[in-house]
Amino acid sequence: MSKHLIVGAGPVGTATARLLAERGEEVTVATRSGATAAPLPGVTLVRLDATDTAALTGAATGAAVLYNCANPAYHRWATDWPPLAAALLQAAERSGAVLATVGNLYGYGEVTAPMTEETPLNAHTVKGRVRARMWEDALALHTAGRIRATEVRSSDYLGPGAVAALDSRAFTRALAGRGVQVLRDPDTAHSWTYTLDAARMLVTAGSDERAWGRAWHTPTGAPRTQREVVTDLCRAAGVPPVTVSRMPDALLAVLGLVNPTVRALKETAYQLDRPFVVDSSAARRTFGLEATPWEQVLDALVAAHR
């Protein structure tokens, strides 16, 4: 049995904690409140400000892996991520724990082909530059031999509790037989990552030295348009398909006046305007991991939103 420290208790952090606990590992989850939205049997919960380097280092001491599953408020990434990322790097160096970070695809910027781990980091947005810099800083310390680091990158999440381009609001409406409005183009191919698959990849990357020193894409199924996701969900639930339309830009602009998260979505809207597809063959080939079958993902979504 080894010790593991998870910072953050969102959908991926929670799934990671459950996977590790089921394996009999000693698992601690650190959050600002010291609480989680869902019960985590066999997991120790601690209240911790992860930007407090000394406190974070103390909690990580003796841990085999330090998992960065944190997620600051979407509209505050530029201000909240840098001090948090710096504290995680210092804690990893001082404690000797492997730093396994939950990443995303923002650092690649606008793309014209499926993204692989070899796709250059070419971020053109504030959020993308923040995420790219986080990995570059971690990789520099890894290359210098000061830490052991890896990053797991996923596309928009699907799964219970996930907040993404398509989330509980859209799914609840669809299952109630009500039309759904989506961000940008409803008919553009898009990759969707199941949260449990992201957790499996994260646990694998943290414990397998073949994963260290580079980023990996979570095993992700074939791309589907937003319309296809909603239609497939209705089919899985046994309800008639609902209309899927694009949310008017004027409505988004009005919502953005009062909601900073909606306002912050504007700079990443390019991901839904043209094909945004992830190639995860490297992780499947190296670690023998596969994406959860689509029908199982749909069943989990139906169960979570009924």
Side-chain angles (χ1 to χ4, degrees), residues 13-270:
T14 297
T16 299
R18 286 176 175 153
L19 285 175
L20 291 167
E22 289 169 359
R23 296 182 182 186
E25 306 289 4
E26 179 183 346
V27 185
T28 298
V29 171
T31 66
R32 281 186 175 273
S33 66
T36 59
L40 291 174
V43 174
T44 300
L45 305 179
V46 298
R47 184 177 182 178
L48 177 68
D49 178 356
T51 63
D52 183 336
T53 302
L56 182 59
T57 299
T61 298
V65 187
L66 168 59
Y67 302 90
N68 174 9
C69 299
N71 191 23
Y74 196 65
H75 63 288
R76 293 186 55 87
W77 279 18
T79 55
D80 291 3
W81 259 129
L84 177 55
L88 286 158
L89 291 177
Q90 293 180 55
E93 182 171 12
R94 295 175 185 177
S95 69
V98 174
L99 177 61
T101 296
V102 174
N104 60 27
L105 308 175
Y106 289 16
Y108 298 129
E110 295 191 32
V111 295
T112 57
M115 293 161 280
T116 73
E117 294 89 339
E118 306 305 318
T119 300
L121 294 178
N122 189 32
H124 64 286
T125 65
V126 172
K127 295 181 188 64
R129 288 192 290 269
V130 166
R131 295 301 317 209
R133 179 62 183 272
M134 285 172 59
W135 172 241
E136 290 165 350
D137 288 346
L139 182 58
L141 290 183
H142 177 95
T143 302
R146 293 169 56 183
I147 67 172
R148 294 167 296 165
T150 184
E151 181 169 276
V152 172
R153 297 173 183 162
S154 302
S155 193
D156 279 290
Y157 290 127
L158 288 181
V163 177
L166 282 173
D167 59 17
S168 59
R169 289 165 295 184
F171 298 146
T172 299
R173 286 184 62 89
L175 295 181
R178 303 168 65 188
V180 174
Q181 288 188 327
V182 300
L183 298 175
R184 317 301 282 191
D185 187 351
D187 296 308
T188 295
H190 195 84
S191 289
W192 307 92
T193 301
Y194 186 38
T195 48
L196 183 55
D197 290 336
R200 290 192 183 106
M201 184 66 232
L202 188 67
V203 169
T204 299
S207 63
D208 192 326
E209 62 183 65
R210 293 177 298 173
W212 305 341
R214 59 163 289 178
W216 299 88
H217 289 169
T218 296
T220 297
R224 281 173 170 77
T225 69
Q226 295 186 87
R227 190 187 308 277
E228 287 173 332
V229 173
V230 173
T231 300
D232 287 352
L233 183 74
C234 291
R235 173 182 53 75
V239 301
V242 299
T243 60
V244 180
S245 59
R246 173 174 174 151
M247 184 178 294
D249 291 342
L251 176 57
L252 274 175
V254 171
L255 292 174
L257 294 176
V258 296
N259 187 317
T261 298
V262 172
R263 188 162 61 247
L265 290 170
K266 184 176 181 179
E267 71 169 0
T268 54
Y270 68 89

